Structure formats: structure tokens, C-alpha cells
Amino acid sequence: MPLLPKSHRILERPLMEFRPFGKDTQGATIQDVSGIAIRANLEYLEEAIKQRQGPEAAEAALGTLVALLNERIPDRTYHVTVDFLKNHWNSYSYEFAMFLAEFSVQLSHEENFHFNLGREKFLSPIIQILGRPFGIAQIYRLFPHFVEKFTKGSLKPEVVSVTNGHAVMRLQLSESTIKQFGPYLQGCAERICHTTKATVAEVPARMFGKRAATIQDRSCIAEGAPYCEWAFTWDPERRTMRGWIVGGLALGLATVALLRVFAPEQSWWISAGLSLLPLLTLPLAKRLWDDRLELQERGKIIQEQLESAEQRHEELREAYLAQEHTLIEIRRRVDELTMLHQLTLHIGSTLDRETIIGSGLKAIVGSLSFEHAWAAVWDAPHQLFHKIQSEGMSAQWNTLTHNTHIPSAPQDLLHRTLHTKEPIVIEDITDILSQCHPITRQILAQAGTKSGFSVPLISQNQPLGVLIIGSTHRKAIPITEQNLLSTVAHEMAIALDTALAYDEIEALNIGLESKVQERTLALQQANTDLESANHRLKELDRMKSQFLSHCSHELRTPLTSIKGFTENLLHGMVGPLAERQHLYLTRISANANRLTRMIADLLDLSRIEAGTVRLAHASVSLSELLEDVTQELLPLTQTKAQHLTVELTENNLTAWGDQDRLHQIVTNLVHNAHKFSPPDGRILVRASPAPPDHIFLTISDTGPGIPQEAQASLFQPFFQAHRIPEIGTQGLGLGLSIVKQLVELHGGTISVESRPGEGSAFHLRLPAVCPSPLPPSTQTLHKPSI
């Protein structure tokens, strides 16, 4: 990336591209600049403005500084306060420190702000205390140590040479710092250079009370050099031995005088030399040795204190940074949950799809570090994307996408996102532009998208559209932001699906209301027609019953005469008959009896339907009833060599009902069993008690059985399950219908159990005692309405 001249400051960058503190997108702790340096910056700015304009102006300037910084921090989770910036335990990115430095220059109106800052504030009390036991040259030799302490690898200091009164220092920037500054490297390096060299030059003055060192600039990154290099010169430290020399001479003279008194034979110069040598050498050696031991001990103690203090300082700092990161994450989660809660409330209170999409887009752009977002709705029948909505876009972009339709193309970003059903991270838009549909390519280019995130809108496996979140500069998207964007998209998709379902329900309701109205009118007309038909049917039924009754009565009179005359002829009352005459008269008599039974059935059916059947209730002995029936039908069963058996589980079984009608019921069922049972067949009539107050009567046979499909209609009038010429046509099919109605008239039930080829069994359940209060021995069956 080409570098801009140092006159271009980092404030030309609209937003910070890196996190200001906490942890970076890879999870590493951010500690480029110590909180001590940031606090010193604020304190110097506050003091400088307070001296010129007063405390209120200084307080207002710090508030303005914080507001300016927060405007450039895209993620509000990292917004700062004055108190936060004054906490020396914090650590920051160098990008953030440079934004703060440039704003401080603007607010202070001091062009040499950073040089003065280094002179006045950057030699912190901690450094002064820790470095006081050492000399100036030793402090300069420790220059890399102190820089590393407060920058943690973001700067690379180097000591070229140090002598008493002269030092050459060099400073380089780390790769991560250069990356943060980008094209504004030279402008940022100039600020760092001024602050650093001013701080180093102040060591003799601040820590040893001497004049500050002079500075000679040798090279600077701001001028295109690979590093900054300076030469510092200060007053050298001088040590004197004058006191030791005077003391030594005095002791030497005293020694010479003593030798002249006690050893006069020695020459004076030998005596002086011999006495002066030990007197000067031994005390000086002892002093030097003691000083050396003391310096070593003090140095050892100071070094241990320094290491312990630094270790404790780093432990506290690391603990605070971890706590600060936790606080940041909590703030982030609170902001995310608040945003999701507000979004859910907003989109959950509307069924308008445009409002739902617009709310989701505003939440994303307003809460996350993205400049724009847009969404396209999927039209499955036409296989295209349309109804594009956006947030953070220009009017020109909105004009471009108005009523735009994007056809589905296999390699297009929208198509791949929707059909893979997985989000796509766009680290560099140039990697995918060549594969996009021309319309998509034009939309992305017009938006100025450099990186972003594409996520599908899917609910219940139904594709609804695609959401595109974009940034105007290249940036990595952390997993936490990806998950949050996916959650927002999921909430939007659910709300859109609900709105779509509601629209479909509304459309169905409208159609249903129309159909209900039509059907209501039709039903009303049908009810009118049905009521009219019902009246007509009732009238026809009445006429039919009246006709059957009259017809039966009218037929019985001539039929009685026919039967009487036929029997007289057969009994020989008019003379002997020829064999053929006897045969014909027998057949006439049999058909007359058959016709009599048909007329009786018609009369019974007519009376039952007319509700005129009267029952004379009494206690009926089943043993006597069944004996009478079997005696009457025994000759009939003997004609087919059938076995008719009666079983009573108890001897004194009785039923509550009309004896004649009960006789008719049992006779009808046994007669049916006889008709449909083959020769040598078996007919069983079995009676048993059915607690608590009923009897159970079963008539079974070994006939052909009744088909399953015929059993449902077996008790309907005129229905015949078997139509065998010699069996099935001997009646009208009214017997079982009459039996059922007579059984129900008694308050009982009847059912059939049969399988083809296995015979049939009719089960009757009849009351054994009076089931409810009745009129004195009679009950009327009321005709049901049709």
C-alpha cells in the first residue's frame, strides 16, 4: 500500500479499522499502548487548557475528546468515557492512541503537543523511582526495557551506543503497528518520534536534577527512513579523589616524622616512601572494597525490588485486562441481546414484510460495525430476486435498485447463499465479483462494498430471500458477529414467514367467506326445497300407509272366500276330486296362505309406521312360548329333515312384553332359519338370563350365512339378502324389518352375527321385568317423523 506524506494524518480515516482495546478478532489481548501513556495524554491536555482557559474549558475539552473518539469507533461496545481513559491499568491499540493524539492536537491548538507531552508527562513517577538508583548512562542502557514495559512489542527500541555524557538510540515500529497505521504511517511515526525523543531527553532533568539532554535527529520514519535514530548529549558525571589525596598526604607526613624519631639512620626519602605506601594503599583498598560490596548489595536489592514490582505490576495489569475484556464482552452481549429484543418486539408487532425487513436492516447497521445492508426477496415461481430494501445506502444506489429484478444464476452470490442455505463470509469482494450476475456486480460496486457477509433468509426450510451486510473497507468478521447476524436473519425469516402465512390465510379467508356466502344461499334454498319435499313425503307416506291399510282390508275379504272354498273342495264337500284337481287346489291353497302372510306383513308394517300398534305387556314364560313356536314349526322343519333344538339355561325364564308379538318375533326368526338352512341342517333356539334385568335370546342356523356388505341393510323394509328362486322370492322382505321394530317397541335390541358359509345367529336382548312405568298393560309405538 503506498504511503502518504506525513502531512496526511490518520484522522482522514473515517472509522477505526481495529478494535481499540480488549481482544482483537483473533482473540489476542490488545496491549500496544499502556493506559499510563493514555492517561498522561489526557492529564497534559487538561492542564494545558486549564492554564489558558480555566477548569470548565478543560473539562469540556475532555468531553469533546471522548465524543470525537466514540464517533470513530464503529462498535459502540467499545465506546469510552473520560474515567475509562484515565484508568492506567487499561491497554489500547496504537491506532486508537493515534486517533486520540490527533484529536488532542486539535483541541489543545499546540503544534508541539507531543514533544511537550513527552517532556512533561511521559517520565512517570514509577520510572523515576525505579531508575533513581542508577546513573544516567545506566538509565539509557535500560531504554529498551522501559519502552517494552509500556508498549509490549508494538515498538522496537535499540541502544546503539552509550558513554558518559553521550548516547545514540534507535526506534522501529512492529509489523502489527505498521499494519494499523496503513498509508498514514509517516504522519503517525512523526508523533511517536517527537514524544519518544522528548521523553528520553528529559531523563537527566527529571531524575537527576540536571539539564535536559540535547537532541540530534539522525533519521526518521516520517522522512521515509526504516527507523528513527537520535543522538543525546548531557553533562557527564565527574568523580573526584581530592579528599582522598589530601588525607593520604597528611598521613604520609605523620609517618615520616615518626620514622625520623625512631629510625634516624634511615634516609628520609626511604622512610617517607615506606610509610606512605601502606598508609595510602590499605585504607583506599578497604574503602574501594567496602564501596564495591555496598554497591553490589544495593544493586541486588534494587534489582530484586524492581523485578518483584514489575512482576506484581504485570500480574495486576494482566488481571485488569482480563477483567476489562470480560466487561467488554458483557457489554457486547447486553447490547446484542437488547438489539435482538427490540428487533423481535418490533417485527413481532407487524405483519408488513417491508417493515420487517427495514427494521432488521436498521438494527444491523445501527448496532454493528457495518456501513450498509440490503435484502432481496426470493420469487420462487419466477426464479428471481426482487423487492430490494436497503439501509445506509445512497439515494443513487436506491434509484439503481428500484424495481430491479436479479435472475437466479448458479454462481451468483445471492443464488449460492440461498441454495446452499449457509452464510458466506466475504473477506475481499474482488474474489467473487467475477462470478456474480452483472446486476449483482453493479449493485455491489455502486455500494462500495469491500467485504461483508451474506446470509439466507430461511424459515421452516422455505427460502424467502437473502440478506447482504457490507463494509466499505476490508475487515475480518469475528465468529461472534457472524452468529449474531445469522440470529438476526433467522428472526427476520420467522417474521417474514408469519407475515406470508397471514397473507395466505387472509386470501383464503376472503375466498372462504365468498364460498360460505354462496353455500349459505344454496343451503337456504336446499332447506326450503327439503322442507317442501319433507311435507310432500309425509303426505305421500300417509297416503301410502292409508293405501296399504285399505288395500289389505279389501284383499283379505275375497282372499278369505278363496281360502274357504278351496278348503271345502279339498275336504270333499262337493264330491270326490281327481288327482290333478287335488294338486291344483293344493297349490291354490298354498298360494292363498302365502298371500295371507304378505297381507299380514303389510298390515303390520303399516300399523307400526302409523304408530297404532298396541302392546299388551305381561310376564311371558319363555319355556311355554318357545314350546308353542317349535310345535307349530316342527312339521315344517321335518319336511327338510332339519333338527330344531331349544335350550334354556334356567327353567323359570320370563320376558316382559306382549305374548302374541313375542310369539310373532320368535316365529319369524325360526321360520327364516328353516328357509335358509339346508336339509339335515340344525336350528338352535337358546335363552339365558342377561343381568341385571334382561334375557338373552339367540336363534342360530347352519345356513349359507349373510354377506358382510348385506348385514347393514338386513333390517330395512323390502330388503332380501338372498334372492334364490325357490327361497328368496317367497316373501316381500318385510319379516326382519317388522321383527326389529317389534323388538325395539319392547325396549330391546336385535343384532346379527354371520359369516358366509358358517350360518347366521340373531341375538335378541329383551327386558325380563318392567323397565319403566307404563300405562296399565299397553304401550304405543309412535311413528317417527320423516
Side-chain angles (χ1 to χ4, degrees), residues 465-752:
V466 174
L467 177 63
I468 307 292
I469 303 96
S471 177
T472 54
H473 54 272
R474 294 182 180 90
K475 57 172 288 186
I477 303 177
I479 295 296
T480 54
E481 286 193 5
Q482 294 180 30
N483 294 336
L484 177 61
L485 291 171
S486 298
T487 302
V488 172
H490 182 64
E491 294 296 327
M492 292 172 61
I494 292 175
L496 287 172
D497 189 35
T498 302
L500 184 63
Y502 182 80
D503 290 343
E504 293 176 355
I505 291 172
E506 282 294 305
L508 290 174
N509 283 340
I510 293 173
L512 185 60
E513 288 177 2
S514 176
K515 291 180 179 179
V516 167
Q517 291 177 356
E518 294 176 0
R519 187 61 58 85
T520 300
L521 293 175
L523 287 175
Q524 289 175 350
Q525 182 62 39
N527 285 336
T528 302
D529 296 341
L530 184 61
E531 186 175 356
S532 176
N534 192 29
H535 287 300
R536 179 64 179 163
L537 286 173
K538 287 181 178 179
E539 180 64 21
L540 291 175
D541 186 60
R542 186 188 64 78
M543 294 174 64
K544 182 258 305 182
S545 299
Q546 186 177 6
F547 168 76
L548 288 176
S549 178
H550 290 170
C551 183
S552 299
H553 282 289
E554 294 298 326
L555 288 174
R556 292 182 74 176
T557 301
L559 185 59
T560 302
S561 299
I562 292 172
K563 286 181 66 177
F565 287 120
T566 302
E567 290 176 357
N568 290 336
L569 291 173
L570 287 172
H571 291 155
M573 295 181 66
V574 293
L577 299 174
E579 182 178 355
R580 185 172 293 276
Q581 289 174 335
H582 189 276
L583 176 63
Y584 286 166
L585 288 172
T586 302
R587 289 183 178 178
I588 291 172
S589 178
N591 280 287
N593 290 332
R594 177 184 168 207
L595 186 58
T596 301
R597 289 195 302 274
M598 288 182 182
I599 292 172
D601 287 344
L602 285 173
L603 282 173
D604 285 341
L605 180 63
S606 176
R607 290 170 183 169
I608 291 172
E609 289 182 350
T612 58
V613 174
R614 303 286 180 174
L615 297 181
H617 282 85
S619 182
V620 179
S621 172
L622 282 182
S623 60
E624 296 178 359
L625 175 67
L626 296 180
E627 178 67 21
D628 291 343
V629 172
T630 54
Q631 290 300 322
E632 290 179 9
L633 296 178
L634 187 60
L636 194 62
T637 57
Q638 288 176 349
T639 60
K640 296 175 68 175
Q642 293 172 337
H643 303 278
L644 176 59
T645 307
V646 176
E647 291 183 2
L648 283 85
T649 59
E650 294 182 8
N651 293 328
N652 298 323
L653 290 177
T654 59
W656 179 261
D658 187 300
Q659 183 167 355
D660 293 339
R661 293 300 183 181
L662 291 176
H663 187 281
Q664 181 181 356
I665 291 170
V666 177
T667 300
N668 236 328
L669 292 174
V670 175
H671 190 268
N672 271 354
H674 156 70
K675 282 196 302 182
F676 291 103
S677 293
D680 294 326
R682 295 184 177 276
I683 301 170
L684 173 64
V685 180
R686 188 174 188 276
S688 61
D693 50 8
H694 285 76
I695 61 167
F696 198 67
L697 187 64
T698 299
I699 295 93
S700 59
D701 59 58
T702 57
I706 303 169
Q708 187 69 31
E709 61 273 11
Q711 293 181 22
S713 305
L714 193 62
F715 296 102
Q716 294 181 3
F718 306 104
F719 178 81
Q720 292 180 328
H722 300 282
R723 293 191 176 273
I724 304 171
E726 63 274 14
I727 296 178
T729 59
Q730 292 185 0
L732 295 175
L734 297 176
L736 290 178
S737 175
I738 293 172
V739 166
K740 182 176 186 298
Q741 295 192 59
L742 289 176
V743 169
E744 291 176 351
L745 182 62
H746 281 80
T749 59
I750 184 172
S751 61
V752 63

Side-chain angles (χ1 to χ4, degrees), residues 286-350:
K286 185 177 185 304
R287 182 62 181 268
L288 291 174
W289 180 255
D290 291 342
D291 287 347
R292 183 185 176 202
L293 292 177
E294 183 180 357
L295 287 173
Q296 287 180 347
E297 186 65 25
R298 289 176 62 187
K300 183 178 179 181
I301 294 172
I302 292 171
Q303 187 65 30
E304 290 176 354
Q305 290 177 345
L306 177 62
E307 291 176 357
S308 176
E310 288 183 348
Q311 182 180 359
R312 183 57 179 165
H313 178 272
E314 290 303 319
E315 289 176 356
L316 292 174
R317 188 164 176 267
E318 292 296 331
Y320 181 82
L321 289 176
Q323 180 181 357
E324 192 63 35
H325 177 69
T326 302
L327 178 61
I328 291 169
E329 290 301 315
I330 292 174
R331 286 167 58 186
R332 178 190 294 279
R333 294 293 179 265
V334 169
D335 287 345
E336 290 176 356
L337 291 174
T338 301
M339 182 268 285
L340 287 174
H341 176 68
Q342 293 175 349
L343 175 63
T344 304
L345 289 178
H346 198 183
I347 65 179
S349 62
T350 181

Side-chain angles (χ1 to χ4, degrees), residues 411-436:
Q411 297 301 319
D412 185 58
L413 174 64
L414 302 179
H415 178 92
R416 287 192 295 124
T417 303
L418 189 68
H419 289 82
T420 59
K421 299 181 180 179
E422 294 293 336
I424 296 177
V425 179
I426 309 168
E427 295 183 356
D428 189 347
I429 198 68
T430 57
D431 295 339
I432 65 168
L433 276 181
S434 60
Q435 302 175 356
C436 292

